[in-house]
C-alpha cells in the first residue's frame, strides 16, 4: 500500500538506513545503545516539540524510521517508555520546569523509565489501585506495590499512579508522580521469571519511597486525567514497526513448514495463508488510523487484532515442526538456564500477548462502552 512518501521521505529513509547499518551492532548493551541513538538525535522524532536535544520529524518520516529500525534488526530498545509514553505526557501536561528537567536526559538516552500502573489486587481495573502517597513537607511518601512493571530492573525513574487523597474512591484523588528508583530500602525490584526463562517484567515495592512535590504531573489529584492521556500515546507508529517483526517471524514459520513437509497439509497451508492475509489487513488498518484521534476504539481494536494473531502464529510455529518442537537447541542441565530456539520462544512468550498492555477482556469492555455505547460495567467501591 502506497503511504505517499515524498522525495524528502526517501532521502530520510536513505539516511536512516545508512546510519543503522553503521551503528546497530547486534548484541549491543542496551543502555549504551540508547546513548548512541540519543547522541545522533534519533530519540524524540515524534514529540510535538523540539529543543530538548531531539529533532522532530513528520509522521511519514517517523514511519520510515520505525520500519527501517525493525528491518535492520537493531538492538531492543530500553528507552521507549520514556520516549513514547512519558515524554508526550510531559509535553501535554507538565510544567516548563518538569519538561526542562526530564526531557533532555530522555532524548540523550541517559535516563530510562518504567511505568507504575498495574497492581496485584487491582488487576486491569486501574481505578482500584491502592498504592498511597502521603504528603510530608516538600515530598510525598509512597507505600504500595506495582506488578508487571516492564524494564523496572533497568530503569532510573518510574512514573507512578498513586492515591494522594485517602478518602477518595475510584478514579478520584489520584496523582501522577515521578519517582527515582535509586532509593535503597525504599524501592525494591523483584524480577518475574516468565515461561521463556527471561525476566522483562517485575514487581516493584515502595516502602516509604520519596517523590518531590514539584514532580507531580498535571497537579495533585489530577492523576487519572494524566494517566488516561498517557494511554492514548501507547500505540501509533510503533505498531507498524511491530508488524515488520511479525512479518519476519511469519517468514520463518513458512520456511519451517516447507522444510519439514508440513506445508503439504492443506489445513496448515490454509492457516499460513490466513496469517499472511490478516497481517496485511492489520497493516492497512494501522495506516488508516495512524495519526487519527477521533476513534476512541481504534487502539483497542488494534491490540485485539495483533495479540490474537501473534498468539496463533506461536501455536503454528510449534505445529509445523511436530515432535521436534519439544526439544531444545542444547542439552538441558538443572544447573544451567534452559535454552529456546526462536520458534519455541515465540510460542511461549506470545501466551502473554492477550494479557499485557491491556487484556483482551479490558479491550472489549472499552469498545463496548466507548464505541458501542453499551451500559458501563459495574465496579465495586474501593
Amino acid at each position: 500500500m502506497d503511504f505517499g512518501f515524498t522525495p524528502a521521505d526517501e532521502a530520510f529513509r536513505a539516511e536512516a538506513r545508512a546510519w543503522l547499518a553503521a551503528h546497530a551492532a547486534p548484541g549491543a548493551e542496551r543502555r549504551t545503545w540508547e546513548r548512541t541513538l540519543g547522541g545522533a538525535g534519533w530519540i524524540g522524532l515524534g514529540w510535538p516539540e523540539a529543543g530538548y536535544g531531539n529533532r522532530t520529524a513528520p509522521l511519514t518520516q517517523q514511519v520510515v524510521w520505525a520500519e527501517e529500525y525493525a528491518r535492520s534488526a537493531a538492538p531492543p530498545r530500553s528507552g521507549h517508555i520514556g520516549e513514547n509514553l512519558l515524554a508526550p505526557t510531559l509535553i501535554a501536561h507538565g510544567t516548563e520546569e518538569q519538561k526542562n528537567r526530564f526531557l533532555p536526559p530522555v532524548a540523550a538516552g541517559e535516563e530510562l523509565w518504567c511505568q507504575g500502573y498495574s497492581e496485584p489486587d487491582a488487576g486491569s481495573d486501574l481505578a482500584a489501585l491502592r498504592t498511597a502517597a502521603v504528603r510530608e513537607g516538600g515530598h510525598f511518601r509512597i507505600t504500595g506495590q506495582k506488578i508487571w512493571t516492564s524494564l523496572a530492573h533497568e530503569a532510573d525513574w518510574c512514573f507512578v499512579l498513586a492515591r494522594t487523597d485517602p478518602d477518595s474512591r475510584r478514579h478520584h484523588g489520584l496523582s501522577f508522580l515521578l519517582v527515582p528508583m535509586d532509593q535503597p530500602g525504599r524501592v525494591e525490584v523483584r524480577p518475574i521469571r516468565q515461561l521463556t526463562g527471561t525476566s522483562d517484567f517485575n514487581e516493584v515495592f515502595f516502602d516509604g519511597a520519596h517523590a518531590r512535590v514539584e514532580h507531580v504531573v498535571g497537579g495533585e489529584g489530577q492523576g487519572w486525567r494524566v494517566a488516561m492521556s498517557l494511554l492514548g500515546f501507547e500505540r501509533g507508529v510503533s505498531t507498524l514497526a511491530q508488524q515488520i517483526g511479525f512479518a519476519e517471524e511469519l517468514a520463518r514459520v513458512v520456511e519451517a513448514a516447507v522444510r519439514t513437509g508440513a506445508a503439504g497439509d492443506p489445513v496448515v497451508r490454509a492457516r499460513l495463508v490466513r496469517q499472511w492475509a490478516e497481517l496485511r489487513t492489520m497493516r492497512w488498518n494501522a495506516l488508516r488510523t495512524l495519526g487519527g484521534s477521533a476513534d476512541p476504539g481504534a487502539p483497542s481494536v488494534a491490540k485485539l487484532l495483533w495479540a490474537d494473531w501473534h498468539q496463533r502464529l506461536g501455536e503454528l510455529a510449534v505445529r509445523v515442526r511436530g515432535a521436534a518442537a519439544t526439544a531444545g537447541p542444547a542439552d538441558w542441565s538443572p544447573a544451567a538456564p534452559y535454552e529456546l530456539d526462536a520458534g519455541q520462544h515465540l510460542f511461549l512468550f506470545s501466551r502473554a500477548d492477550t494479557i499485557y498492555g491491556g487484556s483482551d477482556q479490558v479491550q472489549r469492555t472499552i469498545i463496548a462502552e466507548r464505541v458501542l455505547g453499551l451500559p458501563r460495567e459495574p465496579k465495586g467501591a474501593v
Side-chain angles (χ1 to χ4, degrees), residues 32 78 114 137 178 261-262 265 282 329:
T32 300
S78 290
C114 61
L178 308 181
D265 182 339
M282 282 193 289

Side-chain angles (χ1 to χ4, degrees), residues 17-61:
R17 185 182 294 126
W19 190 89
L20 285 164
H23 295 85
E29 194 273 325
R30 287 162 64 142
R31 187 176 287 267
T32 300
W33 175 240
E34 291 298 320
R35 294 186 181 121
T36 303
L37 287 171
W42 293 110
I43 297 177
L45 297 179
W47 298 356
E49 296 179 12
Y52 300 104
N54 65 307
R55 54 174 166 171
T56 59
L59 191 58
T60 54
Q61 291 185 354

Side-chain angles (χ1 to χ4, degrees), residues 98-178:
Q98 289 169 346
K99 290 190 282 187
N100 290 330
R101 162 60 185 86
F102 292 107
L103 294 183
V106 172
E110 294 290 343
E111 289 184 349
L112 305 180
W113 286 78
C114 61
Q115 174 177 282
Y117 274 19
S118 297
E119 297 188 6
D121 294 329
S124 295
D125 183 10
L126 186 59
L129 64 82
R130 297 182 180 181
T131 295
V134 178
R135 185 164 180 169
E136 296 180 346
H139 67 267
F140 284 92
R141 181 169 52 83
I142 305 167
T143 304
Q145 178 187 358
K146 300 293 181 176
I147 197 168
W148 307 118
T149 309
S150 301
L151 304 178
H153 58 296
E154 299 181 14
D156 304 294
W157 289 80
C158 182
F159 48 90
V160 176
L161 195 61
R163 194 167 299 281
T164 49
D165 179 357
D167 298 322
S168 65
R169 294 291 182 270
R170 302 296 302 165
H171 59 276
H172 301 286
L174 305 177
S175 295
F176 190 98
L177 309 171
L178 308 181

Side-chain angles (χ1 to χ4, degrees), residues 35 39 59-60 88 112 114 172 189 203 218 232 277 289 293-294 302 307 316 327 336 348 350 369:
R35 294 186 181 121
L59 191 58
T60 54
L112 305 180
C114 61
H172 301 286
V189 177
E203 294 178 282
T289 60
S293 58
L316 193 54
L348 291 176
S350 64
E369 295 178 355

Side-chain angles (χ1 to χ4, degrees), residues 191-202:
I192 299 173
R193 193 166 188 249
Q194 299 153 229
L195 287 172
T196 56
T198 57
S199 301
D200 294 322
F201 304 113
N202 304 267

Side-chain angles (χ1 to χ4, degrees), residues 45 67 75 95 181 212 219 222 239 259 269 291 298 330-331 333 345:
L45 297 179
E67 293 190 339
T95 64
M181 296 291 283
R212 292 164 60 178
Q222 300 300 310
T239 301
R259 185 181 67 251
R269 287 203 307 274
D331 291 337
S333 167
H345 186 278

Side-chain angles (χ1 to χ4, degrees), residues 65-95:
W65 168 252
E67 293 190 339
E68 289 301 326
Y69 191 95
R71 288 192 181 99
S72 71
R77 293 289 310 277
S78 290
H80 64 90
I81 295 176
E83 177 186 8
N84 299 320
L85 298 183
L86 175 74
T89 303
L90 283 182
I91 291 172
H93 300 284
T95 64

